[in-house]
Amino acid sequence: MHSETSKDEPPPPDDARAILPPPRGPVAAPPRRRLLADLTPLRTSADFRRLWIGNTISWVGQGMTALAISLQVYDLTHSSFSVGLVGLFSLVPLVVFGLYGGAIADTVDRRLLGLASSTGSWLLAVALALAAFAGFHQVWFLYAVVALQAVCAALNSPARTSMIPRLLPAEQLPAANALNSMTTTFGTMTGPMLGGALVGLWGYQAAYLIDAVAFTAALYAMWRLPAMRPQREEGSRGRASVLDGLRFLATRPNIRMTFFTDLCAMVLAHPRALFPAVAVIWYGGDAKTAGLLVAAPAVGALLGSVFSGWLGRIHRHGVAILLAVGGWGLAVAVFGLTRNLWLGLLFLALAGAADAISMVFRSTMLQAATPDAMRGRLQGVFIVVVAGGPRLGDFLAGSLGDLASPPVAVTGGGLLCVLAVTALGLRWRNFARYDARDPQP
């Protein structure tokens, strides 16, 4: 269902054909379109356009709130451990409810599920703002809100993501996923910066209130969507089962490989936990230096999404994923050998760009090669991998950094990622043969 359609023009008469020049194949896109992000999905689907704009605004608001909650917890407890618990209270619901949220998205109208979960997130943002204005400052309340926000996100994400193939044709999915990557990265970069400034100027209530107002954009976009009931296969049961989704995944090697390759990058070569030590030991810096190291991959990912116009012409998505994940590992490994800050930031940015490219093709393959009746459940698995992989990577990098040294952990992890993704590509060779023009799960 697209808001704009076009009809083929009638062919020219025979005598006109005789004087027309011979066809020269598809008309090349202007150079700017070849490089910059393809905006075709925003032009062709009003529903996707509203969804994208709403998500962009709400991601910035969520980034503001995430930082404000961390600052408020520290302000109340003066404990870094208490701040760390914020991540734990969000991770567990994301993992647990991610799988069940996907099953629910394959059972009910996805628009209604998205609308209900978005409403829940909005009400929680309102609750934070009201509590701050009323002077109700309790750590347990902040932990509870964070956990409930994670539940709403775990229910919303499979519903929202599985709608995209129903809003756009298959050839526009890479461009749509690049635009979504841009939204996520932009929100996680700018949201905390704005949140810190707002808290410093007007207090926590300002950040929470603006987040509540911003979330209405996502609510409006979801409300305007048409009904999105899953397309059931003949003979399927009325209620979607998580186990059925996992059994389906076990028999679909190409989709399974999208998860394996991401785990190679996020578990084996995710040096984020070492950035505070690296900032001091390698570069003689401080907290600001660590902040630059954290921001560099996000900057690279944003640039990779902005300059993603060429991705739509790639059909061998399996090869692209293997190369992108290998590129992430290689960039991280070289970063581990650098002792010049700007050179290190460059390689971290390159790693972030490679990760953005990998994400575009992994998401596209998951959407295109999965039957509609299973999309919600596999998006739930995607949430578990995306949420759990980096946390395991933090634990592995931090442990190896203490047991050996930061250079061994960073460079060794990057090289292990390259070796692991190479081994996976050799073990499942059909993955490299995957062609988006004939998607096979």
Side-chain angles (χ1 to χ4, degrees), residues 178-436:
L179 291 168
N180 287 335
S181 173
M182 192 186 309
T183 287
T184 305
T185 309
F186 179 77
T188 53
M189 280 178 56
T190 60
M193 290 189 294
L194 290 174
L198 288 169
V199 170
L201 290 172
W202 298 297
Y204 301 110
Q205 59 268 27
Y208 298 146
L209 179 62
I210 292 177
D211 181 27
V213 173
F215 217 95
T216 58
L219 268 177
Y220 173 75
M222 197 69 69
W223 178 69
R224 287 291 305 272
L225 289 173
M228 288 273 180
R229 292 201 63 84
Q231 297 171 350
R232 299 200 178 284
E233 297 176 347
E234 241 180 274
S236 63
R237 293 178 294 179
R239 179 172 301 224
S241 162
V242 173
L243 289 179
D244 285 346
L246 295 177
R247 291 190 193 102
F248 174 84
L249 182 61
T251 61
R252 300 303 190 272
N254 285 335
I255 298 176
R256 205 165 57 240
M257 273 285 285
T258 64
F259 299 130
F260 288 164
T261 52
D262 186 50
L263 289 173
C264 285
M266 294 297 103
V267 176
L268 299 177
H270 195 254
R272 180 178 59 187
L274 297 170
F275 285 163
V278 163
V280 176
I281 298 171
W282 294 2
Y283 304 120
D286 52 17
K288 294 178 183 176
T289 309
L292 289 175
L293 295 174
V294 172
V299 172
L302 180 60
L303 291 174
S305 301
V306 169
F307 297 101
S308 61
W310 57 277
L311 297 182
R313 297 194 295 276
I314 306 296
H315 301 296
R316 300 292 292 275
H317 290 182
V319 172
I321 292 170
L322 293 172
L323 291 176
V325 174
W328 162 277
L330 188 60
V332 169
V334 176
F335 162 72
L337 300 174
T338 63
R339 295 300 179 269
N340 177 277
L341 177 60
W342 297 111
L343 193 60
L345 294 174
L346 171 63
F347 280 104
L348 286 176
L350 290 174
D355 185 50
I357 293 170
S358 164
M359 191 284 301
V360 167
F361 289 123
R362 284 185 291 108
S363 298
T364 301
M365 188 180 292
L366 185 62
Q367 292 164 346
T370 304
D372 185 78
M374 285 285 177
R375 280 188 186 131
R377 277 164 283 185
L378 293 195
Q379 289 295 338
V381 177
F382 184 83
I383 290 174
V384 173
V385 171
V386 169
R391 271 75 175 188
L392 289 175
D394 286 341
F395 174 76
L396 182 63
S399 301
L400 189 56
D402 279 346
L403 292 173
S405 67
V408 170
V410 176
T411 299
L415 293 177
L416 277 176
C417 171
V418 175
L419 291 174
V421 78
T422 301
L424 286 174
L426 292 174
R427 171 62 180 83
W428 285 282
R429 295 176 184 270
N430 282 338
F431 184 69
R433 301 188 186 103
Y434 178 92
D435 193 320

Side-chain angles (χ1 to χ4, degrees), residues 6-30:
S6 59
K7 298 181 179 179
D8 294 332
E9 295 182 3
D14 291 340
D15 56 340
R17 292 180 194 170
I19 60 173
L20 289 174
R24 297 182 180 179
V27 178

